[in-house]
Amino acid sequence: MLENWVVMPTCLPVVLRRCHTCASERFRANGKFRVNANHKLIDAWLLVLCTSCGETAKLTVLERVNVRSVQPELLDRLHGNDVGLTAELLQAPVVQRRNRIALDWTDAWRLDTGGSDHLDREVIDISVRFAARIPVRPVRLIAEGCGLSRAEVERLIAKGKIVSADRLSGKLSGDFAFMLKR
């Protein structure tokens, strides 16, 4: 029987970028946007606040784009300060590259295993799905979901008791599956 686990965000991640005022490197997104139109061109920024000094920084979302080329739904979400849009844009590779930012997901996600009734079986097939692109070590997810230590999970992988078609070393941010044999 296949068990489904989900890695879910609990809040917005911390934005890693250098503050020009206090040299801190951590910003918190609060879901606010600034939109500015100049004739037929529009600019939009996501506002983030420095966690140390509270200084506001702008992350470019749209820059000198013709208003007619922007979808009306996107404009409504920008004007409405949609937090869901904030989460989408922070994870967008284009926005990350353009603004030279990285995300810190520490304490911003949780693993939903659907209960622990599966832990007593001899063979467990588990599919792990990511609700957002959150880079996490599979060893940490397996340890947390099965109630084992990370060292024990590493030992089980080395013995061939935990097998997967995907690599279990390093960090993953995409769906994967594994089998645990006791």
Side-chain angles (χ1 to χ4, degrees):
M1 185 169 161
L2 182 67
E3 296 289 330
N4 293 309
W5 292 358
V6 181
V7 178
M8 302 176 60
T10 56
C11 61
L12 293 172
V14 171
V15 176
L16 300 176
R17 174 184 171 169
R18 189 167 188 86
C19 179
H20 298 294
T21 305
C22 71
S24 170
E25 294 192 2
R26 302 177 67 78
F27 285 82
R28 186 64 70 190
N30 59 359
K32 303 285 185 199
F33 291 93
R34 172 129 195 286
V35 180
N36 185 30
N38 185 4
H39 300 286
K40 294 180 183 180
L41 300 178
I42 190 168
D43 295 310
W45 300 277
L46 172 62
L47 303 178
V48 292
L49 302 172
C50 177
T51 57
S52 295
C53 68
E55 182 71 19
T56 301
K58 298 187 295 189
L59 304 180
T60 303
V61 176
L62 300 173
E63 188 172 33
R64 298 284 178 223
V65 176
N66 192 315
V67 175
R68 291 180 186 255
S69 67
V70 179
Q71 295 176 349
E73 298 84 28
L74 176 60
L75 278 176
D76 289 342
R77 291 176 78 187
L78 288 168
H79 287 298
N81 293 321
D82 186 352
V83 177
L85 180 61
T86 301
E88 291 172 27
L89 291 173
L90 282 176
Q91 294 180 54
V94 172
V95 173
Q96 289 181 7
R97 272 193 310 274
R98 175 186 286 160
N99 294 287
R100 295 184 195 97
I101 62 169
L103 302 178
D104 180 8
W105 283 95
T106 306
D107 299 328
W109 62 272
R110 69 180 172 86
L111 177 64
D112 182 17
T113 61
S116 61
D117 58 338
H118 61 278
L119 296 177
D120 56 349
R121 292 191 296 229
E122 286 296 314
V123 177
I124 307 167
D125 277 327
I126 298 176
S127 170
V128 180
R129 189 176 62 79
F130 287 78
R133 284 193 319 267
I134 304 170
V136 183
R137 295 184 187 283
V139 171
R140 179 177 180 187
L141 293 176
I142 296 168
E144 187 174 320
C146 295
L148 302 170
S149 69
R150 288 188 213 164
E152 180 65 23
V153 171
E154 294 281 355
R155 226 178 346 270
L156 290 172
I157 291 172
K159 286 182 180 178
K161 300 276 187 179
I162 296 178
V163 293
S164 175
D166 301 293
R167 66 176 176 83
L168 297 176
S169 61
K171 290 186 177 183
L172 290 178
S173 58
D175 301 351
F176 70 97
F178 68 94
M179 181 186 303
L180 171 62
K181 300 179 244 177
R182 301 233 179 212

